[in-house]
């Protein structure tokens, strides 16, 4: 389960997203910026002026440590902090509550993927087969 859209609204949101990303694997600041951009399909690209001071702050708080290769990894305290992030603990706020809401959300995502396929086909190319299989699943309903 990934972060909900509202997680990106503030610096606090960036903090939670960075901790969540580091729970998967160690990363340096540039990798974090790219991971946020990739995860949000380009909607959000945090600036180095936001990410690097945050990494220093997280290190000072003992939540991350910097490895010799320059990548940051969660400490034991950091792993505990990730477990306290609300959207990791339980259902995300704003999740669709009815079939109608799910259909609306699916339609919006399908429209978005269609636009990306037209404007940036290389971004979609690695996922074409998976998208086709999802379409087949939905067509069986």
């Amino acid at each position: 389960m990934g972060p909900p859209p509202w997680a990106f609204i503030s610096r606090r949101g960036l903090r939670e997203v960075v901790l969540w990303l580091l729970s998967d694997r160690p990363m340096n600041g540039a990798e974090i910026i790219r991971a946020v951009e990739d995860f949000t399909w380009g909607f959000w690209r945090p600036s180095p002026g936001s990410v690097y001071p945050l990494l220093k702050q997280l290190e000072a708080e003992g939540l991350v440590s910097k490895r010799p290769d320059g990548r940051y990894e969660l400490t034991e305290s950091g792993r505990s902090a990730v477990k306290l992030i609300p959207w990791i603990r339980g259902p995300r706020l704003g999740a669709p509550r009815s079939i109608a809401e799910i259909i609306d959300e699916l339609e919006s995502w399908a429209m978005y993927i269609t636009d990306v396929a037209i404007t940036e086909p290389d971004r979609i190319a690695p996922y074409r087969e998976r998208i086709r299989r999802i379409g087949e699943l939905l067509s069986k309903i």
Side-chain angles (χ1 to χ4, degrees), residues 3 33 36 41 43 50 94 102 119 132 140:
I33 291 169
V36 171
W41 287 44
F43 281 118
S50 296
I102 292 170
T119 59
R132 187 192 60 74
K140 292 178 184 178

Side-chain angles (χ1 to χ4, degrees), residues 7-46:
F8 305 118
I9 293 172
S10 68
R11 184 164 169 80
R12 170 94 177 141
L14 179 58
R15 175 188 177 90
E16 291 179 343
V17 169
V18 168
L19 289 170
W20 174 71
L21 287 169
L22 291 175
S23 71
D24 186 40
R25 66 182 172 89
M27 293 186 221
N28 63 33
E31 291 169 322
I32 290 169
I33 291 169
R34 179 62 185 195
V36 171
E37 184 177 27
D38 288 347
F39 178 76
T40 63
W41 287 44
F43 281 118
W44 183 28
R45 180 179 174 86

Side-chain angles (χ1 to χ4, degrees), residues 54-137:
L54 175 61
L55 288 170
K56 284 184 180 182
Q57 178 184 344
L58 293 173
E59 191 173 22
E61 292 174 21
L63 299 176
V64 302
S65 61
K66 190 171 185 179
R67 298 178 355 168
D69 66 1
R71 289 183 169 89
Y72 292 84
E73 63 187 351
L74 292 178
T75 62
E76 195 59 43
S77 296
R79 283 188 281 284
S80 296
V82 168
K83 292 176 185 172
L84 298 176
I85 298 173
W87 43 265
I88 288 178
R89 282 186 296 164
R92 61 186 178 112
L93 296 176
R97 291 177 182 81
S98 69
I99 297 295
E101 289 179 8
I102 292 170
I103 300 300
D104 289 344
E105 195 165 318
L106 279 170
E107 184 178 32
S108 295
W109 281 108
M111 292 167 63
Y112 173 71
I113 290 171
T114 301
D115 286 347
V116 173
I118 291 166
T119 59
E120 301 176 74
D122 291 345
R123 286 183 63 196
I124 296 294
Y127 306 101
R128 283 200 191 284
E129 180 58 25
R130 190 167 174 204
I131 292 167
R132 187 192 60 74
R133 286 194 315 263
I134 292 168
E136 287 176 0
L137 284 172

